[in-house]
Amino acid sequence: MLELLAYLHDSELVARFQRRCGLFLIEATNHTKGSTRAQIGTPGARGQVEGRWDHQDKNCNFTHKENGHAIVNGSQPQYKVRNWLLHFLFLLSAGLGHEIFYITCLPCIHWSLDPFLCRRLVNMWTVVMYVGQVMKDILKLPRPLSPPVVKLETRVDAEYGLPSTHAMAATAISFTLLLSAPSRLQFQFEVGLLIAVTLSSLVCLSRLYTGMHSVLDVICGALISLVLTFVSYPHWETFDHFQLTSPISPAVALLLPLLLSYTYPELDHYSTTRGDTTTILGVGAGCSIGYWVNMQVGQTFEPQGELPVPLPTLTAASLALGFARFLLGASALVGTRQVVKTLCLRVLYSWYSVPKSDDNARRRREIEVPSKFVTYMAVGLVNSILVNRLFLLLGLL
């Protein structure tokens, strides 16, 4: 069993998958030998494009300082893409786990399909992401080594690898939607199952292609998410009732995520996991409070009539209306994020007497946690309470 786990966690297995998909590591330029650096976008053989990046991989490769620069194993990987179709497919799939997707595309389910489904998705997404992020920083298993792996992302280099939270989120979102939709929408379950498996599989494979996770990370992430989803499934109705009707629901939705944010495991180096986890908990708190408010005022924006309802017909008019809602809604959320974030940072910098030019201060827990939590709780509140009412006012619903 240990040999199997070691094999699945091996970086070379990821590198072989990348080569099968047309992504090749073609050179490792050593600083200590005085080799010259290749430029991004330099034409390679047969008209292919080569690339490189300079970054510090903090948890899987040895890092030292040379002439004031961070050097990862003394090398700078360069890569060659031979299959652009798979390259862009996997990069697009990987994007389904990034903030820009969560803040724009997931709310569209609330605005254009059914707030009930969006509420279920946000609830499960919050749970599985918190569990996954905490497991990463408790287990502290490294990401794949580069080389031999080509790494196409740099932001999360300081995070540990197991489990893959991209795999967890994609699996949870796909199967939560699949399990919740039959009581709300008329559709063929087998088609929904095929779509759920395809989307979650693409996101899982994209984490191998981008070199950010081992096969073991991805398998564990998907399995943990499936277990959490199916174990919690029998209790979804009970939680729905508590979330929407209990007088203590708003207090629990606010205080529990805030407590979890402040008690997040500490590391010996800065990692984006705490900030990302606080972001997720903030969104979950804001949406939960917002859905409770909607229920209390008797305006939930859920489909009327006998359920399940037919899927909306795709016409030019409905597509134009949906696109208008997307533009207006996404603008409202992004604008809220920017305004509240700026105000929070100004207040916190002033409170802790931090110079405005000190960007590193944002990494301090007493600034990072409250700023991110309040910012994204506001985003959740605007999404669940205000945006649909704005649509009604403008005649878009």
Side-chain angles (χ1 to χ4, degrees), residues 365-383:
R365 184 173 67 173
E366 63 268 25
I367 292 179
E368 181 179 54
V369 170
S371 66
K372 285 186 175 291
F373 190 87
V374 172
T375 296
Y376 287 93
M377 184 176 71
V379 170
L381 287 169
V382 169
N383 169 66

Side-chain angles (χ1 to χ4, degrees), residues 136-156:
K136 277 185 183 181
D137 287 345
I138 291 177
L139 297 175
K140 297 183 178 180
L141 293 180
R143 292 181 183 269
L145 297 169
S146 178
V149 169
V150 180
K151 290 199 172 185
L152 299 180
E153 295 182 9
T154 60
R155 178 182 176 272
V156 293

